[in-house]
Every structure is written in C-alpha cells, then in structure tokens.
Amino acid sequence: MTDKAIVSIRELSKYFGRVAALNEVSFDIKAGEIFALLGPSGCGKSTLLRILSGFETPSSGELLLDGKDLIPLKPNKRPINMVFQSYAVFPHMSVEENVAYGLKVEGIAKAEIKTRVAQSLKQVHLDEFGARKPHQLSGGQRQRVALARVLVKKPRLLLLDEPLSALDAKLRDAMRLELVKLQEAVGITFVIVTHDQSEAMAIADRIAVLNEGRLRQVATPSQLYQRPVDAFVADFVGTIHSFAVVSSTQQGKDFVVGTQELGNITVPAAAVAHGIYQLDELVGNSVVAVRPEHINVTATQPANSEVTLLGKLGDIAFQGQHSVVEIMLDNRPSLTAIASNADAQALHESGHGSTVWAHWDTANMLLLPNDASDAGAVE
Amino acid sequence: MANAKRIRDKKKPFEYSKKWSLRSVFFLATLFLYVPIVVLIIFSFNNSRRGGNVIWKGFTTKYYGKAFNNDDLMLAFGNTLTIAVVATVVSVILGTCTAILLWRFRFPFKPLVEGLVSLPIVIPEICMGVSLALFFSAIGWLGNTSDIWPFNLINVTIAHITFCFPFAAMVIRARLHSFNREMEEAARDLGATEYQVFKDILIPHLKPGLVAGALLSFTLSLDDFIVTFFTSGPNTVTLPVKIYSMVRFSVTPEINAASTVVIALTLVLTVFALRFQSKDNTQLQ
C-alpha cells in the first residue's frame, strides 16, 4: 500500500431539497487500500457512494480521481465499478454473459473478452458455472458473479454497497476473509459501504465514520476503537459506558472531572480526545467513558481499584470465549462487563441480585466530547 | 374408530370442490360458455345446406372447401389478419413508449395523461365507433382512402390501434413495476449507454409483458365488430363484419367453418404465447 491518494473528496455536500445528506465532507482514499464508509442508516454513506459512481451529482465541493475532476463524467465513463446491494445480476443472461457485458459494451474484441471472462470467473471460483443462469445459483454465488463482472473491467476503484448484509452468518465470515484476499490479489482500491461496525473493522484498512451527513472520523480500525474522537464514534464502533461530566478542573497536564456516579476522576492527558473543548466547556458537553473489557466484577470489595461502583448482579450471558456480566445500578442504565467464564460462573453462584462491585482503573477511561464536529457549541 | 371416521368426513377449509352448490355453478358456467362453441365446431362438419339446422345429416368437410373458395370471405379474412398484425405491432410499440413514459418520468398533468390513456378501455365501444366514424368522415377518409390494398385498410387499422394500445400499455406497465432499477444502474456502471440499457436490459425484462400485450391486442383486433362496423367501407370488410352480414342473409355451415378456423387460430396463438411466457418466467425467478 502506498500513501498516494487515489480519490480526494473536498468539502463535498449534497442537498435533497433543504436536507443535507452530505455536509462538507473532506477526506482522501489511498491507492490500494480497503476503505470503509461506516455509519447508521441515513448518515449519507450511500449518497457518497452514489456520488462516487456517478448516479448523484454533488451540490457543491470537489471530487478528484487521480487528480482529475470526476464530477462531469457520466457513470458509464468512469473507471469506477460497483457491486450493488441486490447484486443486480442480469437474470436473462448466463454467468459468462453477465461477466462479459461490461467488456462487450466497451467494444473489446471477442477473443480478449473470452480470456478475461475466464480469468475473472476463476478469481471468484466460479469457473465451473459459466453456462448457468442466475436463477440456478445461490445468493453467495450470485454475489461472486457481481464481483467477477466488475473485476473484469479492471477499474481504478471498486465500490461495494453493503456486500455482506444479505448473506447468512457463516458465509458472511468466510466472505469477509475472501474479499480481503481478493483485494490483495488484484490490488484494486476497494470502497465498502456498511452499517455493521464489526464488518468494517474486520475488513477495512481505514474507516470513515459518518453521522447525519457529517464526517466524524477517518482512522484505522484500532485507532477508531482506542482513540475515538467523540462519544458518538466511541459508541458506534463498540459498547462503551459513559458518565456525564458535571465539573472540571485541571491538575498539571491531567484533567480532573466530576461525575454524579463516580465522583471526581483524574483523566490522564493521554486519554483526552484530541480537539476537545476548552476546560470550561467540558461540563454538559462531554463524558468520561469505559469499555466493558476494562471493567472487573467481584463479589467482594476490591482492595485497590481507582474507580469503584456498587451494584447488583444482573444477567450473565455466555458468549463462547468469555461471558458478559450485567451490573444493575440504582440511578442509571446497567453496565456490562466482560469476564472470563470461570469468574462468571463464580458470580453466578452468588445469585441474581446479589451485591457486586464493578471497578476499573482511570487509565482505561476516555474523556470524550459528545460531538467533536461541533465542539464548543452549546447543545 | 367412530370418532376418527367423523373427522375424516368433515370438509376441510378449502375443499370447495366438494360443495354441491359450487359444483353446480361450475357445471353451468362451463355449459353456457363452451357448449355453444363445441356445437358450432361440430356442425361445421354437418352435411346440411342450412347451418342453423341442428339436425345431424352426416360428416363432411366440404363447407371448409366452400369457405376457402368464397372470395369475399377470404378477402375479409385477409383484411382481418392484416389489420390485426399491423394494429398489434403499432400498439405494442406505442404501449411500450407510453408505459415507460408513465413509469420513468415525472411531468405536469401526469394523472391526466394516465387517465386519457386508459379512457378507451372504459368508453363504451359504440361511442368510440360513432366518434371514429364521424372523425374519418370529417377528414374525408371514410370508405375511400385508397383503392389499393392494403392502404385502404388504414382507417380501420387506426381505429383498432386506438382501443388496442391502452391494453398493451397497461400490461407492459404492470411488468415494468417488477423491474429492479439497480439492474439499469449496474448496466450503466458497467459502461452501457442509455440505448444499450434499453436494448440489453429493459427489453429482455419486458418480454413477457410485450408478448401478453401483443396477444391481447391481436385478439381484440381480430374479433372486433362494433368499431370496425362503423369505420369500414364496402371493400374493407373484416371477418366479423362479413360473418354478420352473411348471418343476416342466411346461416350456412360455411359460417361455422370460418368461425372454427378463427377459433383454432386464436387457440394456437394463445397456447404458443402461454408456453413462451412460462419458459420466460422460470428464467426470471
């Protein structure tokens, strides 16, 4: 992977009437990477994908591919191809005809089409299925046809719209790995749209998180998880328990923030999200948060933990490698903690509703603004 | 045991075929629908000078020969087929254009246009016949457009298109509703021009609708009497109009024979179209 930008998106906006589907979004996609557009439904990720493919025209902003303006080009003139969510495999054509279609309309010689189609079908392990009609294929095989059909065009950019959402759980896991391997083999830049954070984390080299038409963060999966820019991103990429900040002071480099449930907490400077508000703006606009895997649960009072919360034992969910323990609190939604199966079993024996302590170290806490994109604004 | 038997005798919820009331409705409907047709076909082989005579006088095929040698009847038959073929082709093309227009585009007064398109379906045929006759006579086309066949059939053909194409448009539009717009976008994305999308993706999808629309138009045109009666001249008589005038004169087995040929023709076409469509549907699953 090089660091060269293949796609540059600059202050791109798209309005439908007066509603902004995209609001001044800017970022780069690097050549040869798998880039994921992640966000809840209605966040603008599909609009962005349709702008990239040419089916929507942005209201303002720049869109460059290899430094050249892409906006005036019609969808059929762009070196960008897309795997649609419904796969959109042509039902009246055989698998081979489907894959050949993009080359046929390009006017490529028949002999070359034949070799390229065969090569492409081999790449997706469908070389035995060339003569079949789409209705004779399974959903997973139809998706492979859609993939072969775009790979054969050798595009600069390959777009995938929710590629795994229609597959069953087991096939989805297999296809995740296969997509990554395929991308490595062909070296084409992939852009994947998804609402499933675990899918994006598993596949992508980098992820752009979008919400309500605005870009929240572009980062690698581990950065996104460990160093989210705000509470929305932190919550969207995985479970996090947050506590509203009600007071704030600074001690040297560290922040001391007060919360109703936990009292005063000293947050080390390293755990403060980049671009946070001024100290006097923290109250009401930010939270301190902790992920379930950092919370310990014990039936006896812990000897030396920095943060301690007294609660009652709730449900215990067995998850295979570990268990998820619920801790019910009096005045706020319950917490969840990840515990080893042995610890969970010991807690289970003390009984539902028994008193337990949830405790963790402040080093594992994050101080996050509610919304980094309007930091400083009053809600 | 006795209990088990009672359960077995009880009618299941959807076993309508076991109800006597429904069975008799079915029987009567079949009787009134098909017995006259069967009688018509049987008596086309009756060796009797009078077709209205329902006394069997032995088997003969001579009235088929007579019908085929009746120049007036054959001219009417040729006219009917020519008009039906031309009206079908034009109706399907116009119907496809209309259906795509109404499905794809938004424009002012669209509900009005939709209403106008389906108006010929609901207007009583007699009104259409009269208005078309008045229209053609107003522009001087009634009966004397041309002396050369088949150009003399132009007004009857136009009249047939006016009532055939709304049906074709309706059937094709219904088919368009099941079209996945992502197919069109996928083809565009792969490099196809608008025309290539239409030719390679949309038309193959529409094929069952086009066949159904064509069949509907063809049969509507083939057996139309009222509109044709008002718009045809002495040399542009169609088979239904000709048979009507022959019946008024006298009923001969020749008419039975001609009608049987028309029935056979429609049956063959229908079977052909149905088989074509069922084959296509399995492909589109």
Side-chain angles (χ1 to χ4, degrees), chain A residues 26-344:
Chain A
S26 302
F27 61 88
D28 284 346
I29 298 170
K30 294 176 191 167
E33 72 177 341
I34 299 185
F35 192 90
L37 296 171
L38 177 67
S41 62
C43 71
K45 58 190 193 296
S46 299
T47 306
L48 189 51
L49 198 73
R50 290 179 66 79
I51 289 174
L52 281 169
S53 56
F55 294 115
E56 296 285 357
T57 314
S59 309
S60 64
E62 273 186 356
L63 175 62
L64 306 174
L65 179 76
D66 295 319
K68 275 172 273 175
D69 188 8
L70 204 54
I71 294 167
L73 291 184
K74 292 202 163 178
N76 55 332
K77 300 289 179 202
R78 294 186 183 197
I80 295 175
N81 291 114
M82 176 143 143
V83 175
F84 287 80
Q85 195 172 2
S86 71
Y87 313 145
V89 172
F90 307 134
H92 57 281
M93 294 184 193
S94 71
V95 170
E96 262 170 3
E97 287 166 339
N98 261 285
V99 179
Y101 186 73
L103 301 178
K104 208 182 89 186
V105 293
E106 222 181 295
I108 285 169
K110 274 200 177 137
E112 194 192 333
I113 291 181
K114 215 178 164 193
T115 53
R116 277 172 72 175
V117 167
Q119 188 192 350
S120 186
L121 284 177
K122 203 162 188 170
Q123 262 170 350
V124 297
H125 312 295
L126 278 180
D127 28 356
E128 305 282 311
F129 295 85
R132 294 229 191 151
K133 284 283 175 76
H135 71 92
Q136 297 168 305
L137 301 177
S138 69
Q141 288 168 330
R142 249 175 276 178
Q143 184 177 39
R144 284 159 195 273
V145 176
L147 262 172
R149 192 169 70 175
V150 293
L151 286 173
V152 81
K153 295 272 291 179
K154 297 182 178 154
R156 286 290 290 152
L157 198 65
L158 201 157
L159 314 174
L160 298 111
D161 189 4
E162 302 273 3
L164 305 174
S165 61
L167 304 176
D168 56 72
K170 205 154 183 188
L171 193 58
R172 197 181 310 153
D173 290 345
M175 201 62 201
R176 271 182 191 176
L177 281 175
E178 211 176 309
L179 274 178
V180 175
K181 277 187 192 156
L182 195 65
Q183 195 272 340
E184 279 167 7
V186 296
I188 296 169
T189 311
F190 279 23
V191 177
I192 292 177
V193 154
T194 179
H195 65 274
D196 180 348
Q197 46 86 18
S198 66
E199 188 176 305
M201 301 270 234
I203 297 175
D205 295 312
R206 289 195 310 143
I207 299 170
V209 181
L210 291 144
N211 188 39
E212 291 172 346
R214 284 177 304 179
L215 181 70
R216 292 305 186 93
Q217 188 169 11
V218 183
T220 64
S222 67
Q223 277 175 342
L224 215 53
Y225 192 78
Q226 285 158 6
R227 307 283 295 148
V229 292
D230 61 23
F232 172 81
V233 174
D235 188 51
F236 197 75
V237 298
T239 310
I240 197 156
H241 300 297
S242 47
F243 304 86
V245 171
V246 292
S247 70
S248 63
T249 49
Q250 198 160 9
Q251 264 184 10
K253 278 186 175 177
D254 301 341
F255 284 72
V256 179
V257 293
T259 63
Q260 235 155 28
E261 301 91 338
L262 310 172
N264 280 344
I265 291 169
T266 307
V267 185
V272 179
H274 179 68
I276 191 119
Y277 311 99
Q278 296 297 305
L279 188 66
D280 56 343
E281 291 170 330
L282 285 177
V283 176
N285 289 323
S286 63
V287 293
V288 273
V290 63
R291 293 212 183 267
E293 62 269 29
H294 293 131
I295 302 179
N296 300 301
V297 193
T298 47
T300 52
Q301 187 160 14
N304 50 0
S305 264
E306 288 167 336
V307 185
T308 331
L309 257 182
L310 189 63
K312 287 197 167 60
L313 185 64
D315 294 322
I316 298 176
F318 177 69
Q319 307 256 300
Q321 302 102 317
H322 55 76
S323 297
V324 175
V325 180
E326 185 191 17
I327 305 124
M328 296 185 293
L329 303 173
D330 281 344
N331 48 2
R332 57 158 284 143
S334 53
L335 301 179
T336 53
I338 309 257
S340 72
N341 290 330
D343 289 350

